[in-house]
Amino acid sequence: MSITNFFEIDKNLLKLDEAALEKCRGQFENIEKTAEHNQLKVLSAFIKNGVSEADMSGSTGYGYGDKGRDVLERVMADCMGAEDALMRHNFVSGTHTLTVALFGLLRPGDKILCLTGRPYDTILGVFGIDGPSDGSLADFGIEYREVELKADGTPDIEAIKKALKAEHYKMAYIQRSRGYSLRPSLKIDDIKELCGAVREVSPDSIIMVDNCYGEFVETREPCEVGADIIAGSLIKNPGGGIAPTGGYIAGRRDLIEKCSYRLTCPGVGREVGASLGHSRELYMGLFSAPHVVGEALKSAVYASSLFELMGYGVTPRFNEKRGDIIQCITLGNRQALIDFCKGLQSGAPVDSFAVPEPWDMPGYSDQVIMAAGAFTLGSSIELSADAPLREPFAVWMQGGLNFHSARAGILLGANRVFSQKNTDKNK
Ligand SMILES: *Cc1c(COP(=O)(O)O)cnc(C)c1O
């Protein structure tokens, strides 16, 4: 195989690589079909909304009358199967985007119920879960509750219905991706079931979905199966690896309007916000996203297949249905975890020479190691991996702008783990 023309890989590992690829064929076909469907969905949204070259030019100052910005938001709404959307480089991260939506929709005295257990780490401070941090929703008198997941990591529909019957919640909150937990990600059918349960018991609760890492993984998005509003990051799936920063909110028009008053100012809303020179990157990124998400999914499926053949625990398995682009690999010990990250980093297009080391990251109880050699800082639609240094020494890996390079990166990570293991055996 051609990889040996450029990189040194253990011969025995190359055999596993071949076998792993062979096992992935069926999944790859499914991924291609989904990517094609989503690509046509995106293309027709561009055509329907009459995207023109002039829409890419951008505005300055207040950004009044920025047609390109407005058209982009209509295209995004259509791509997400929603009535309306906000999509801007002014959102600084996924967490900020979710925060704008939450503060835009909730008022003092409102209650929010999370249906999917403990949310993603960076959201805890927004809700004020571990004590009302300054400026959190709790600080503004908005009460947070959650329904624990069942032992198998799936939502507890009966407990959710019971909670919604007992009290009125302004919002029901769903996290689609597994984040950095071992629970399975939600599939669109799971989200549909959750929305149905909420509607049955509490029809006027707003259903919000944290859609991070989920966009374009399936052929439908949460708003197409009952969610009222969704939000996500543009340095993940829907930015296609081209958007340099930003986020989006999509959903019901009346709710999007409320969010726009929090994004800028009450009374002003979405009419302002200079797009500067970023419109073109946001259009191109969205256009590329279905294909790039397909490449990231192939990379995850391949890694799952390869590491399973190497004898490691993986979730999801290569042939399981996926709801996000994240792959978890349990490497079992500290050294293997560090080796994997170092190997992956050595195969990155940017900063391949950097050597990741575990460090005491603020806000985390254990040391964390990260591998990322990306064109956009922190971009996780590009091949990247993160892991806390604690039992069971699992690494969360995601992204890959194209399968060929991601396969090389994964194989270099595997090679480092593989050679170390065999050296230890021969000692
Ligand atoms: C990435 C992510 C977010 C947002 O994270 P940022 O780093 O702020 O963009 C929120 N929720 C989930 C589940 C995520 O995966």
Side-chain angles (χ1 to χ4, degrees), residues 92-96 98 120 122-123 173 175-180 210-213 233 235-236 326 378 380:
V92 306
S93 66
T95 307
H96 178 221
L98 289 158
Y120 190 71
T122 59
I123 313 296
Y173 184 88
Q175 183 182 307
R176 180 171 176 183
S177 170
R178 58 181 22 220
Y180 297 115
D210 171 352
N211 207 29
C212 281
Y213 287 131
S233 163
I235 60 168
K236 295 179 180 171
I326 301 192
S380 44

Side-chain angles (χ1 to χ4, degrees), residues 21-33 301 318-319:
L21 262 187
E22 203 42 52
K23 288 175 90 168
C24 294
R25 297 279 171 221
Q27 276 307 330
F28 280 18
E29 262 176 48
N30 296 338
I31 291 168
E32 293 283 348
K33 273 186 208 143
V301 167
F318 72 97
N319 55 1

Side-chain angles (χ1 to χ4, degrees), residues 187-231:
K187 316 308 174 276
I188 284 293
D189 283 335
D190 301 327
I191 295 174
K192 185 176 178 184
E193 190 185 358
L194 281 173
C195 292
V198 175
R199 286 283 175 259
E200 184 190 320
V201 184
S202 181
D204 66 340
S205 294
I206 297 167
I207 303 175
M208 172 164 165
V209 178
D210 171 352
N211 207 29
C212 281
Y213 287 131
E215 299 88 356
F216 302 123
V217 169
E218 297 192 53
T219 53
R220 287 172 305 165
E221 296 295 334
C223 291
E224 296 170 87
V225 294
D228 294 306
I229 192 151
I230 61 175

Side-chain angles (χ1 to χ4, degrees), residues 49-70:
N49 291 285
V51 175
S52 78
E53 207 266 321
D55 293 332
M56 319 277 161
S57 54
S59 59
T60 58
Y62 294 122
Y64 283 122
D66 187 331
K67 176 171 165 279
R69 181 194 64 211
D70 298 345

Side-chain angles (χ1 to χ4, degrees), residues 168-318:
H168 184 259
Y169 288 91
K170 175 75 167 285
M171 179 181 281
Y173 184 88
I174 297 169
Q175 183 182 307
R176 180 171 176 183
S177 170
R178 58 181 22 220
Y180 297 115
S181 80
L182 289 166
R183 71 138 164 114
S185 59
L186 297 186
K187 316 308 174 276
I188 284 293
D189 283 335
D190 301 327
I191 295 174
K192 185 176 178 184
E193 190 185 358
L194 281 173
C195 292
V198 175
R199 286 283 175 259
E200 184 190 320
V201 184
S202 181
D204 66 340
S205 294
I206 297 167
I207 303 175
M208 172 164 165
V209 178
D210 171 352
N211 207 29
C212 281
Y213 287 131
E215 299 88 356
F216 302 123
V217 169
E218 297 192 53
T219 53
R220 287 172 305 165
E221 296 295 334
C223 291
E224 296 170 87
V225 294
D228 294 306
I229 192 151
I230 61 175
S233 163
L234 297 188
I235 60 168
K236 295 179 180 171
N237 305 15
I242 296 175
T245 182
Y248 77 92
I249 306 173
R252 252 167 54 193
R253 179 153 297 131
D254 59 322
L255 304 180
I256 293 295
E257 190 177 328
K258 282 177 187 288
C259 297
S260 79
Y261 296 141
R262 168 73 195 199
L263 166 67
T264 69
C265 327
V268 178
R270 67 189 310 166
E271 303 301 324
V272 296
S275 56
L276 305 175
H278 296 302
S279 296
R280 185 167 174 275
E281 293 161 318
L282 267 50
Y283 275 111
M284 272 188 84
L286 179 58
F287 184 69
S288 299
H291 177 72
V292 172
V293 169
E295 296 295 285
L297 281 169
K298 281 195 260 175
S299 308
V301 167
Y302 165 73
S304 180
S305 174
L306 179 67
F307 276 84
E308 186 172 81
L309 288 173
M310 288 168 69
Y312 294 98
V314 292
T315 168
R317 291 194 63 216
F318 72 97

